[in-house]
Amino acid sequence: MEKKPRSVRREPPPREVPALAPALLLAAVLFLNGLLYLYLSNVHGSSGRAGADPSLCPLGSFRLGAGKNCSPWLSCEAISKEVRKLKRVGEGAVKKVFLSEWKENKVVLSQLTSLELQDDFLHGLKMLKALQSKHVVRLLGYCERQFTILTEYHPLGSLRGLNETLSMPRYKGFNTWHRRLALAIDYVSIIRFLHGSPLGTLVMCDSNDLAKVLSQYLLTSDFHVLVNDLDALPLVNRSAGVLVKCGRRELRGEFVAPEQRWPHGEEVPFDDDLMPAYDEKTDIWKIPDVANFLLGHVEGSDIVRLHLFDIHAACKKKDPAERPSAQEVLDTYRKVLTLLIREAAVPSTREML
């Protein structure tokens, strides 16, 4: 009897991984890392004007628009002859602010509101001249005897209008968690700059509520932050025992730091002579509140807040000495941005494969 040949079960050949896949994966990772590097380099440049930016001129001069040459700060005579007021756009306790024009460029002309406040005005001018950098609005000229300051114009205005700006159709593409976190990084970069300025440790005193803080900073057209108002910027010199007090009136509310509030209870009337002085850590206390506003309520912002929870909790320590420095806060913000962008890049890399 003839035996039937046994059927031999054939295993399917092992699945071959295309040799190209690892190369594609590596290329994708390198590409995304390159994008991340470029993005963070732009963010870490802070205020839209990195140190090597050709728009920065030697101290005492400026460049506007597409101009190639640096012009000296405008003098009293030049401001009187060449600058034309267009309309008043704001007024604070110290300055009236006018949208103006100089050689077909929109500029901002600020003038003293009352001679009683001339010391504040001149202090702000002194700070503006001494602190010109990528963090500070560009000074174009001034006239001390007429109490006039000329600065660069930024059409998006102060940070108070951020949410309204981002709701406009042309800017909705900027309304993302990473762009908003970049603005918070700019803000903390400015605080770090003031705390380690060429003049010493400066405290941002004009900051008794959130709206007031936001009004001190400008939003540039390329979505960065500049400090604009430097009228109340006292100096701390801890080694010499020099501390500060932000004004002579009582400060209230949770926004200001605990050490800025009257420590002797309601039964004792406020007396500035009995009010203890403090240092720059008052600025650190306010960072979480400002950052919370800047982060807004867009997709991903709650994840950012979660990653910033520990550093923000440290900023709110009652003892100022236990709060982190502005540099430590800045380092944490940058690490969180890097981490979250890398995490967001991983799913994109998988989809590419």
Side-chain angles (χ1 to χ4, degrees):
M1 184 173 174
E2 194 174 323
K3 291 184 179 179
K4 293 182 180 179
R6 288 186 300 173
S7 59
V8 178
R9 185 180 176 187
R10 296 191 177 185
E11 298 290 336
R15 185 179 177 186
E16 294 184 6
V17 178
L20 196 56
L24 282 174
L25 178 60
L26 178 60
V29 170
L30 290 175
F31 174 72
L32 289 167
N33 279 341
L35 289 179
L36 176 62
Y37 173 79
L38 291 173
Y39 182 84
L40 293 178
S41 295
N42 181 49
V43 168
H44 294 176
S46 195
S47 308
R49 288 189 282 159
D53 193 315
S55 66
L56 285 177
C57 292
L59 188 63
S61 60
F62 69 92
R63 181 189 292 114
L64 272 186
K68 294 183 179 179
N69 299 320
C70 293
S71 303
W73 285 338
L74 300 186
S75 63
C76 294
E77 183 181 9
I79 291 174
S80 296
K81 289 184 177 180
E82 301 172 15
V83 176
R84 182 170 65 96
K85 289 181 184 177
L86 299 177
K87 63 177 180 178
R88 183 185 295 193
V89 292
E91 181 171 348
V94 178
K95 298 188 293 285
K96 293 177 288 187
V97 181
F98 299 87
L99 175 62
S100 304
E101 190 174 57
W102 175 74
K103 294 186 176 180
E104 300 183 350
N105 292 291
K106 294 276 189 357
V107 293
V108 174
L109 186 73
S110 300
Q111 294 182 317
L112 179 65
T113 57
S114 169
L115 287 176
E116 296 176 356
L117 299 170
Q118 61 178 289
D119 289 343
D120 292 331
F121 184 92
L122 294 175
H123 176 76
L125 173 58
K126 177 185 174 182
M127 294 294 105
L128 196 54
K129 289 160 60 178
L131 298 176
Q132 283 295 289
S133 68
K134 63 186 180 182
H135 302 290
V136 179
V137 68
R138 189 175 294 152
L139 179 63
L140 309 180
Y142 62 92
C143 180
E144 287 194 33
R145 69 171 182 266
Q146 295 177 359
F147 298 104
T148 299
I149 299 173
L150 195 70
T151 54
E152 188 175 18
Y153 172 62
H154 292 280
L156 295 184
S158 79
L159 281 181
R160 288 182 67 173
L162 175 63
N163 290 328
E164 289 75 12
T165 297
L166 290 174
S167 67
M168 297 168 62
R170 65 181 297 185
Y171 295 118
K172 281 188 175 179
F174 290 92
N175 196 18
T176 61
W177 68 262
H178 44 84
R179 178 64 68 172
R180 283 175 168 272
L181 179 54
L183 293 178
I185 288 175
D186 277 357
Y187 166 71
V188 177
S189 295
I190 292 170
I191 299 298
R192 187 273 313 267
F193 169 71
L194 295 177
H195 288 184
S197 84
L199 301 178
T201 302
L202 299 168
V203 182
M204 196 67 176
C205 258
D206 217 350
S207 56
N208 298 332
D209 58 66
L210 179 60
K212 187 63 175 175
V213 171
L214 297 172
S215 70
Q216 311 301 303
Y217 298 87
L218 294 171
L219 180 64
T220 68
S221 297
D222 58 350
F223 272 75
H224 288 279
V225 181
L226 298 174
V227 63
N228 180 52
D229 196 330
L230 303 174
D231 295 342
L233 211 60
L235 181 68
V236 167
N237 187 340
R238 197 176 288 101
S239 61
V242 177
L243 300 176
V244 304
K245 286 189 280 189
C246 293
R248 294 181 170 273
R249 62 185 181 85
E250 183 178 359
L251 302 178
R252 296 175 178 267
E254 293 299 315
F255 186 81
V256 296
E259 63 271 23
Q260 293 183 282
R261 303 173 210 153
W262 178 242
H264 302 299
E266 294 289 339
E267 63 278 2
V268 180
F270 178 79
D271 184 344
D272 184 58
D273 291 334
L274 300 178
M275 180 68 199
Y278 34 83
D279 63 17
E280 77 280 3
K281 289 299 184 72
T282 58
D283 289 334
I284 304 300
W285 172 274
K286 298 161 188 172
I287 286 176
D289 299 283
V290 178
N292 187 55
F293 171 83
L294 295 176
L295 289 174
H297 299 284
V298 296
E299 183 179 356
S301 63
D302 286 342
I303 299 297
V304 177
R305 287 184 178 89
L306 183 63
H307 281 78
L308 296 177
F309 180 85
D310 288 342
I311 192 68
H312 282 172
C315 290
K316 291 294 188 179
K317 294 280 190 181
K318 188 172 182 180
D319 182 354
E322 295 181 5
R323 295 174 205 154
S325 66
Q327 182 65 62
E328 290 170 323
V329 178
L330 180 59
D331 290 343
T332 302
Y333 274 37
R334 287 175 170 172
K335 287 176 184 176
V336 168
L337 178 60
T338 302
L339 171 67
L340 292 178
I341 289 181
R342 287 190 188 278
E343 288 182 353
V346 170
S348 301
T349 306
R350 288 173 180 161
E351 288 174 9
M352 291 175 67
L353 297 175

